[in-house]
Every structure is written in C-alpha cells, then in structure tokens.
Amino acid sequence: MKKDKIIDKIQKLKKNRNAVILAHNYQIGEVQDVADFVGDSLELSQKAAKIASDVIVFCGVHFMAETAAILSPDKTVLIPDNNAGCPMADMITASELKEWKKNYPGRKVVCYINTSAEVKAECDICCTSSNALKMVEFLGYEEILFVPDKNLAAYVARNTKIRITAWDGYCYVHDKILVKDIKEKQRLYPEAEVWVHPECRPEVIDLADKVLSTGKMIREANETRIKDIIIGTETGIIYRLKKENPEKNFYPAKDLALCSDMKKINLKNVLHSLEEMIFKVEIPYDVSQRARGAIEKMIRV
Ligand code: 13P
Ligand code: SF4
C-alpha cells in the first residue's frame, strides 16, 4: 500500500475509534508527522494524564506506553509493536530492586521513568531526564537510591549535595557516544555548540555546552540564536529539530546513535494497531496502583 493511502486510513480510523497518537521525539519522521502530539517522556506522560479520547496509540517504547496506561486506566492504550522495549529499563527487575533495597534500610528510591511498572511500584518517586534533579531534591533526604541509569544519576550528583547510590544500568545508545566522537565533530564544526542528553557518559557531559532532555533540546533549538549544534542523543530527534528550525544546522554527535526499539514503530504497524486494536497494554491492578503513586507524585511536583 502507498504511504499516502496508509496515512489516509490512519486518519480515518483515528476518528472512528476516537483515538489519539502520541509519539516520542526519537520516532521516525513519518510517525512523528502522523502523531497528534510529539514529545519527551515527561511531556508524553503529562499529555497521557489529560487525554479525553477513548484510545491512545503510543509510538514509543513499552515503558512509555505503560506509563500512559497507568495514568489513563479507563482508556485503551495500544503499542504498535509489542517488542519495542527499552534495554536500559530491562536492566533492573522488581525482585532485583527489592533485594538491593535490603542493603539500604530506610532509603527512599527515585526511579527513572525508563523502568517497568513493576519496578516503579517499588519506588517512592519517579523522574524523567528533564526533572531528575528536582525529584531527587524534592524527597528531602540526605541519601537516596536511584535506578536504573548510573549516567543520569552521576549527572544529578554533580548538581546536588544529596548522596546518590545508583544502580549499574545505562542506555547503550547514549553510552556509545564517546569523547572522541564529540571532539571529531568539534573539529569539523568549530563554531558549533554541543548539546547532550544526561544519559551520556560523564566524560561526554564534561564537553557539553548544554545537558538537556529531548523536549528541552527542541525548545532550546527554537529559542537559541546559535546556528550550528552538535546533538549528543539518539539521532531520530534531528528530524524534528530540522523541521522546526530549517535555517539551523544539527550534527549528530554519532551517526550510529540509533535506538533500534524506537525504530520498530512505523506507519504500517500504526495502521495495523488501529485496525486490530492491538497490542493492548495491560498492567495488573495492584502493580498499576502502586506505580501510579510514584508517577503522579512526580507530575504533581
Ligand atoms: P527523554 O525523556 O529526554 O525524551 O528521554 C527518553 C529516553 O528514552 C532517552 O533515551
Ligand atoms: Fe531506552 Fe536508550 Fe532506547 Fe531511550 S534510547 S528507549 S533509554 S534504549
């Protein structure tokens, strides 16, 4: 089927089903274009909490769709590919977290939104890359536990007096961006600023002019007068950056910084998802209720 026809069918089915399509900034361009809203993890969870439609088609990875399902329990949340996961989220299970917590009696746990619902259910508050520092400080404790991203934890630790003990997880996409990649791009584009995601390694963060979530990169790109920017995150974001700022130049810090799970969603499976009402994201009631506490606390702060 031709692309235009698929898009047309998606638009019609969306109306018939009273559905909205949410997409993460790393989605491929044509999926971003068909979406009603494109954003970062925090923006998408805030949006999911407010949506009035019956169905949400979530174009992103599984933990993001789970978050939408937790915040909108009366809605049908669909993910077009049930295998679109997040390898970093899979680096900690609820039973591993329960065991780990035993070593630190009384310590509060901040969990990155990149975790399963079961892991969130064991945590005190959730955070995203755009509000991690605020959430860590909000709890008001001198020492906290942080799961699963050691790089995000290290970035927060630079900016707070709170002592953070982090789980040994990381994002393979951001971890692949190395100092030599940034230096090479700086050599090619000496006028450019360097913006990186806080999931990057500490030594890469040292070289950055700005450390930003994907949503903050989009906003900053719209506001800055700088014309050349080296982008240290998953390269899918460059599509939206260029679309909204055609007069500026965005250079990926590493061309191969690609999240293969984010790329599992495409126009065909979005259409299939709406046609067949698959794949439904369902979470056991008890887990969902406990995870909701941690997510809603974050949204309220
Ligand atoms: P953002 O919340 O910055 O969009 O990040 C999500 C993510 O998965 C980064 O790898
Ligand atoms: Fe997970 Fe990294 Fe992919 Fe984000 S980019 S979804 S953290 S694997």
Side-chain angles (χ1 to χ4, degrees), residues 56-58 61-70 72-73 75-82 117 277-284:
I56 298 174
V57 181
F58 205 104
V61 292
H62 208 267
F63 75 81
M64 296 178 175
E66 271 190 348
T67 305
I70 290 165
S72 297
K75 302 195 172 52
T76 302
V77 176
L78 306 173
I79 184 161
D81 185 325
N82 218 9
M277 293 296 281
I278 54 171
F279 296 90
K280 288 198 173 89
V281 179
E282 283 162 332
I283 303 148

Side-chain angles (χ1 to χ4, degrees), residues 123-153:
C123 296
D124 297 283
I125 196 164
C126 199
C127 75
T128 73
S129 61
S130 78
N131 63 15
L133 174 63
K134 200 169 164 189
M135 297 306 124
V136 163
E137 296 202 323
F138 168 78
L139 287 177
Y141 286 79
E142 282 177 13
E143 296 180 318
I144 59 119
L145 301 177
F146 191 98
V147 296
D149 187 5
K150 63 176 177 187
N151 288 336
L152 179 59

Side-chain angles (χ1 to χ4, degrees), residues 195 216-224 241 245 248 250:
W195 297 0
K216 286 184 179 168
M217 281 187 194
I218 299 288
R219 282 197 291 284
E220 193 67 25
N222 291 331
E223 282 160 20
T224 185
L241 288 169
N245 306 277
K248 294 176 187 162
F250 302 97

Side-chain angles (χ1 to χ4, degrees), residues 79-95:
I79 184 161
D81 185 325
N82 218 9
N83 293 317
C86 167
M88 168 156 67
D90 293 341
M91 285 180 183
I92 186 162
T93 63
S95 49

